Amino acid sequence: MRSAVLLTVVLAGRAPAQRPGVIEFGAGGLATFASSDFAGAALSVARRSGQGRVAAVIAGGGTGEGAALRAEATAQFVLNAGARRGVTLYGAAGVAYLGARGSRGRGYLTLFLGVEGAAARPRGWFLEAGFGGGARVALGLRWRRPA
């Protein structure tokens, strides 16, 4: 019994959920290309723990129909979250909502791949490409700090 408790404590101390996480803030541009294109400025916030990241993005911009707002929530998997230099690949899946002035809002599933510079540094760039309400691209900067 005592060894089972000791083993549980040792393994729990090494579990990814017990490691300090990272809070990320981002700013950049986001665009989708479909029957109704969207382009806008985006702000994001994310929480990364180990190789997992949960992110929320809000982008204000326009479509051919007028002013629009796009919101996204994604779960992401970062391949080399501890990289201090070089490029790190990540993948994401989630949901998005696009609301344009004068038209009915639309929801989408979104799926994309991204690359970011130096995922373990306090600041880095990112570039994403995929699908979600049409072909989707995003680029910008991220600022990171320990949670």
Side-chain angles (χ1 to χ4, degrees), residues 18-113:
Q18 301 300 317
R19 294 187 195 133
V22 175
I23 299 292
E24 300 178 336
F25 301 95
L30 187 146
T32 58
F33 305 97
S35 59
S36 179
D37 297 343
F38 169 82
L43 296 174
S44 66
V45 63
R47 170 84 158 95
R48 190 175 76 208
S49 182
Q51 290 181 286
R53 175 167 50 208
V54 176
V57 176
I58 187 111
T63 66
E65 302 163 353
L69 190 66
R70 181 178 170 105
E72 296 183 350
T74 59
Q76 304 177 8
F77 181 77
V78 183
L79 285 181
N80 188 5
R84 304 265 324 141
R85 60 179 188 240
V87 175
T88 299
L89 180 67
Y90 60 94
V95 294
Y97 178 82
L98 177 66
R101 178 175 232 147
S103 71
R104 191 176 181 114
R106 294 163 280 196
Y108 304 100
L109 294 178
T110 184
L111 185 66
F112 59 86
L113 291 176

